[in-house]
Amino acid sequence: MDYLGQKKEIVSKYDSDAARGLNNDLAQKRLEENGPNKIESKAKKSLAKKIAEQILDPMVILLIVASVVSAFTGDKVEAIIIIAIVVINAIMSILQEGKAEDSVEALQKMSSPEASVIRDGKKQKLKAENLVVGDIVVIETGDIVPADMRLLESSNLQIDESSLTGESVAAEKDSEVVYESEVGIGDRENFAFSSTIVTYGHGKGIITQTGSDTEMGKIASSLEKVEDKDTPLQKQLNKLSKLLAILVIIVCIIVFIVGYFRTGDTLLENLMIAVSLAVAAIPEGLTAVVTIVLSIGMNRMAERKAIVKSLVSVETLGATTAICSDKTGTLTQNEMTITKIWTNENEYEVEGSGYTPKGDIKLDDKKIEDDEQIKLLMTISTLCNDADLTREGEQYKIIGDPTEGAMLTFSEKWSIIQEEMEEKFPRLKEIPFDSTRKMMTTFHNVDEKYRAMTKGAPDIIIENSSKILLNGEIVDFTEDLKNKAIEENKSLAKQALRVMAYSFRDFESIKDKELTSENIEREMVFVGLTGMIDPPRPEAKQAVAECRSSGIDVIMITGDYLETAFAIARDLGIADSKDQAIEGKELNNMSDDEIREIAREKRVFARVSPQNKVQLVNALQENGEIVAMTGDGVNDAPAIKNADIGISMGITGTDVAKDTANMILVDDNFATIVNAVEEGRIIFSNIRKFVSFLLSCNIAEVLIVFLSILFGLPSPLTPIQLLWLNLVTDAFPALALGVEPGEKDIMERQPRDPKEQIISGALKNSLIVQSLAITLSVLLAYVIGLKYIFPGNIEGAHTMVFATLITSELLRSFSVRSTKYTLKELGFATNKQLIKATIFSFGLLLIVMYIEPLRKLFELEFITWQWLIILALAFIPLIIGEVHKINARKNK
């Protein structure tokens, strides 16, 4: 690997020259051989192919067959409605798919338009796409790195690699570093990566990879290779569609044959009944209701700060068993905060978090109102600082380095205000920070003296200090006192805090030529230490606990260091022991089986590469998990796309992450994921309820017709009555069931098994009981009507069946609201939409029965007192359903 080699070897390998660069002829030849320095993407799927995929869906085929059957029976209106459902669903799916194809295009937009290149000994500006392997490129603050390059020179060089590695702090680069063995992307100090941003300093490097061979290019290639997978809901609906198709064909053939030999009706009449029964048995409204309910769920999630781009992803959230979460900004606030101070041999607790000055400073739980030594430390941290703090009301925003931002907000706790301090003690000179010294010094006029204020790495500051401030006096910094400071530094570091040290030195006068680190940053007066961390979000701990009680594993996958990651994970309850944490590089030489085992055991994965993230997502899926993956950087995009539900940050997320994800968190908050999971569970529960409702009604209709014909009775329903029942009466209650409020224990249940059928367990038993109960009630109404109320009048008997069946199905919709809780426990009026839908559907029944032209069209009789019998029979399925719940709960 190029980062392992010596600089001279690398330059020689690519036939280049560190001073003169490539010659133009060789560069042109390589450009022709290897192609431009840009990420190539495969051809997009054609519109015709997308349409074909939609039509070949099993449920769609079933609906098309249903429309043909409807047209055959003379009901052209129903045929048109069914085809409209198919077309609308196809259009929505194609539009959603188009959004996902933009992810690679977003990657290409991140490419640098121009770069400073040395060719034939001349420095020139070239388009980034014209660069080739071996080109010598100069980079400075503000530049976007045009390709992967081995650094040949570096001066205070820092590069923001967060979009690639996930690490929030800019990476320090050093061209002199040479590695003897492989290291992860985030630890390659002698390398710069394509599309990362230079935040400080300058450097020069030789390009070793371009286009699709860069680390960014590899990510793009992995995105292209990821195949879209069906969600659990899609799989279950496909299975249900196939099963229904087979059963419908079998039942209709039996009904046609038995009817022909038992009823004495003509061949055509029996064919019409069988065909009408086929249409009645197929829940045409199912796809439409699923689409509408998922759309409603999308809107509800949006109100809870989660934007879901794909309808089916709404339901997938409810099946999630593992959430792989990034740390920075999702589980934490993405705002570095000073939480500890050590000065005057005391360790102080600093309360409050984030970029706000709220919070007390305490020693042994006692609030400290004022302390001169802490104020001095605050003054140094404020003046020796290049960040800016802007205020809009109570909203604070940091412009600059997050570490320096934490110092400014810390100082404001005691009203040490940046603007006031800079006005009182203006900066006269400075020795800027560099990665070799690991210190920064600024000069100010204090008490008619020149004061050098220094901050930096604790070990360096301690080593270069000869005095220490104790109890307001400057005394010798003895070995004993230095050891105490060193031990405190170690103690804070073990808590995963980023430690910074502060010191000063006074001069009577100073000359410009003396402004060197060797002259100034020595024999300093040590003041103290601060420890800072990006603190956990307050609501994240509760959200993690809720996940665990819901049977959902939370796994932290981050580019940050192991100590920091584990400290946050332990605080949030994700991990209990450091044995549950591991670095990504340890996965690199493991087999797939070993990684699957690791995925079962570990809960914190630190310093991970994009490939590691994909490995972990795949391993969890192979272990049978339904995986949600969160992220914000380009490095997260492959894992986001591989996951069952990909989640991007809305605030900090890159375009690539957002385009690749199924869901975007508007507030970058982990707790929002848990809210979305709850909404997903509610939605799937409601889908099961209305599927059960539609199927129980359809099964009852089939059984009523089949048993009547089997026992030699005339068909209990005409074709138009069957079609009216299926298309109009059932649809509105089913839709209302789709917005049923979640049951109170919805988040206390274990995640559902993705292999579990939509109709299973208690719901399956309930469906069978209810279907039989409706069948029994309606057959009783048929026999009573045919034998006693309307003897010899088939239209009167049809009226009894028609009214009883519709009324019992409407009442059934209330019982199906839960398989566990009775209607009394749920509250009759808690779903007002269902009440409205029931009244509306019952109103349609009355319109058909009491408006003369419609009554004749539907071949019904005018009834009055017969309603007493109809209502009595219609309530039987509801009562049986409620009693069944009570008995099932007792037996369980």
Side-chain angles (χ1 to χ4, degrees), residues 395-466:
Q395 294 294 318
Y396 285 64
K397 184 179 179 182
I398 295 298
I399 300 172
D401 183 72
T403 299
E404 294 190 319
M407 298 174 190
L408 296 179
T409 51
F410 158 65
S411 300
E412 288 210 4
K413 293 179 189 291
W414 278 1
S415 298
I416 307 290
I417 310 299
Q418 183 184 27
E419 292 86 346
E420 295 177 2
M421 297 303 292
E422 288 177 346
E423 186 177 343
K424 185 176 181 181
F425 307 109
R427 184 181 299 188
L428 305 174
K429 306 281 184 182
E430 68 177 279
I431 305 175
F433 174 87
D434 72 51
S435 56
T436 304
R437 297 175 14 257
K438 296 185 178 179
M439 290 184 288
M440 172 183 177
T441 299
T442 58
F443 296 87
H444 309 266
N445 202 326
V446 180
D447 297 331
E448 298 183 356
K449 293 181 180 178
Y450 289 96
R451 174 163 290 180
M453 297 185 179
T454 304
K455 74 169 189 289
D459 53 338
I460 304 294
I461 295 285
I462 291 169
E463 182 183 342
N464 286 280
S465 296
S466 59

Side-chain angles (χ1 to χ4, degrees), residues 462-668:
I462 291 169
E463 182 183 342
N464 286 280
S465 296
S466 59
K467 304 288 183 178
I468 183 173
L469 191 64
L470 280 179
N471 300 315
E473 294 184 10
I474 297 175
V475 299
D476 289 337
F477 202 6
T478 63
E479 284 301 314
D480 184 47
L481 290 173
K482 281 191 176 185
N483 287 335
K484 286 182 180 180
I486 292 168
E487 287 303 312
E488 180 63 21
N489 176 39
K490 291 179 180 178
S491 173
L492 294 175
K494 285 179 181 177
Q495 299 171 54
L497 297 177
R498 188 172 190 186
V499 188
M500 191 70 66
Y502 306 86
S503 63
F504 71 92
R505 184 181 175 189
D506 289 336
F507 298 86
E508 292 296 330
S509 63
I510 192 165
K511 298 177 182 178
D512 287 349
K513 64 180 181 180
E514 296 174 346
L515 288 177
T516 63
S517 176
E518 292 76 15
N519 291 334
I520 305 299
E521 294 171 337
R522 62 185 181 83
E523 296 181 6
M524 297 182 290
V525 180
F526 180 79
V527 177
L529 306 170
T530 58
M532 65 185 73
I533 196 169
D534 180 10
R537 288 178 176 268
E539 64 276 21
K541 190 168 187 176
Q542 181 181 347
V544 169
E546 193 171 349
C547 282
R548 296 186 76 166
S549 67
S550 303
I552 301 171
D553 286 329
V554 180
I555 300 161
M556 181 190 289
I557 301 179
T558 177
D560 216 332
Y561 290 96
L562 186 67
E563 292 287 348
T564 305
F566 173 68
I568 296 293
R570 181 177 54 192
D571 193 14
L572 291 173
I574 294 173
D576 305 315
S577 163
K578 202 169 181 181
D579 293 338
Q580 293 175 290
I582 188 174
E583 286 194 345
K585 65 182 180 181
E586 296 184 45
L587 303 176
N588 293 339
N589 298 318
M590 289 185 181
S591 66
D592 291 344
D593 289 339
E594 288 173 323
I595 294 174
R596 283 198 294 272
E597 193 59 37
I598 287 291
R600 289 190 181 97
E601 299 171 356
K602 306 297 182 182
R603 287 297 169 265
V604 178
F605 294 87
R607 305 302 282 169
V608 291
S609 67
Q611 290 79 11
N612 292 151
K613 294 180 181 182
V614 173
Q615 285 176 310
L616 290 168
V617 168
N618 290 340
L620 288 165
Q621 289 172 328
E622 288 169 9
N623 288 342
E625 307 284 358
I626 300 296
V627 182
M629 174 72 198
T630 76
D632 56 6
V634 176
N635 61 313
D636 299 314
I640 287 173
K641 190 164 186 179
N642 271 273
D644 297 287
I645 180 82
I647 304 171
S648 170
M649 305 300 106
I651 299 172
T652 59
T654 59
D655 287 343
V656 179
K658 290 176 185 176
D659 288 340
T660 306
N662 307 106
M663 184 173 86
I664 299 171
L665 302 183
V666 175
D667 56 359
D668 288 14

Side-chain angles (χ1 to χ4, degrees), residues 190-385:
N190 61 5
F191 220 75
F193 299 99
S194 172
S195 299
T196 58
I197 303 169
V198 180
T199 60
Y200 198 83
H202 55 87
K204 184 167 76 171
I206 181 170
I207 292 179
T208 58
Q209 285 92 22
T210 61
S212 297
D213 293 327
T214 64
E215 293 299 330
M216 287 290 183
K218 291 174 185 176
I219 292 173
S221 299
S222 66
L223 286 176
E224 292 282 1
K225 293 173 184 176
V226 177
E227 295 182 2
D228 294 328
K229 305 169 187 175
D230 283 345
T231 69
L233 178 62
Q234 287 172 315
K235 292 175 183 176
Q236 296 307 324
L237 286 176
N238 288 342
K239 286 182 181 178
L240 183 62
S241 301
K242 292 173 184 176
L243 180 63
L244 280 176
I246 294 169
L247 292 177
V248 164
I249 292 169
I250 293 172
V251 170
C252 291
I253 291 172
I254 294 172
V255 167
F256 173 71
I257 295 171
V258 173
Y260 181 71
F261 289 103
R262 294 298 301 270
T263 63
D265 292 334
T266 66
L267 189 68
L268 182 60
E269 287 173 332
N270 274 291
L271 181 62
M272 291 290 286
I273 289 293
V275 170
S276 299
L277 191 61
V279 176
I282 299 170
E284 301 97 295
L286 179 59
T287 302
V289 174
V290 167
T291 301
I292 293 169
V293 167
L294 291 175
S295 298
I296 293 170
M298 287 178 73
N299 292 333
R300 288 205 304 224
M301 286 186 177
E303 291 173 2
R304 301 179 79 171
K305 307 295 186 183
I307 297 173
V308 182
K309 298 193 295 181
S310 167
L311 286 177
V312 289
S313 299
V314 175
E315 175 275 332
T316 308
L317 276 163
T320 300
T321 60
I323 300 176
C324 298
S325 178
D326 188 24
K327 175 184 71 68
T328 305
T330 310
L331 293 168
T332 66
Q333 298 178 39
N334 199 21
E335 296 180 349
M336 293 297 288
T337 305
I338 290 177
T339 58
K340 295 282 180 72
I341 317 169
W342 189 80
T343 187
N344 213 17
E345 296 190 287
N346 290 318
E347 185 180 291
Y348 299 84
E349 295 281 344
V350 183
E351 294 182 342
S353 61
Y355 294 148
T356 60
K358 296 177 181 177
D360 296 325
I361 299 173
K362 292 184 176 182
L363 177 62
D364 299 328
D365 289 330
K366 293 181 181 178
K367 181 178 177 181
I368 306 298
E369 299 286 354
D370 189 45
D371 184 289
E372 290 302 318
Q373 199 145 323
I374 293 176
K375 278 189 174 181
L376 176 59
L377 190 150
M378 287 177 167
T379 301
I380 297 171
S381 70
T382 301
L383 293 173
C384 186
N385 196 311

Side-chain angles (χ1 to χ4, degrees), residues 88-188:
I88 291 169
N89 278 292
I91 290 171
M92 292 181 69
S93 297
I94 289 170
L95 288 175
Q96 292 295 340
E97 187 177 343
K99 292 181 180 179
E101 293 176 343
D102 295 333
S103 56
V104 173
E105 291 181 11
L107 268 171
Q108 291 171 329
K109 290 175 185 176
M110 293 184 67
S111 300
S112 172
E114 285 189 328
S116 297
V117 187
I118 299 173
R119 280 192 185 171
D120 282 333
K122 296 178 182 179
K123 186 176 179 181
Q124 53 189 295
K125 288 279 187 179
L126 289 180
K127 287 185 177 180
E129 65 181 43
N130 292 328
L131 298 183
V132 297
V133 169
D135 263 327
I136 304 298
V137 175
V138 177
I139 53 175
E140 56 188 23
T141 303
D143 285 349
I144 297 175
V145 179
D148 287 2
M149 48 197 277
R150 169 64 157 91
L151 294 172
L152 304 176
E153 297 176 11
S154 61
S155 176
N156 301 329
L157 185 61
Q158 295 182 21
I159 300 179
D160 179 1
E161 297 179 343
S162 59
S163 64
L164 184 65
T165 65
E167 189 175 348
S168 55
V169 179
E172 296 178 4
K173 297 296 179 178
D174 187 348
S175 61
E176 300 303 318
V177 171
V178 177
Y179 297 102
E180 295 181 0
S181 60
E182 184 178 348
V183 295
I185 292 174
D187 296 316
R188 296 178 193 171

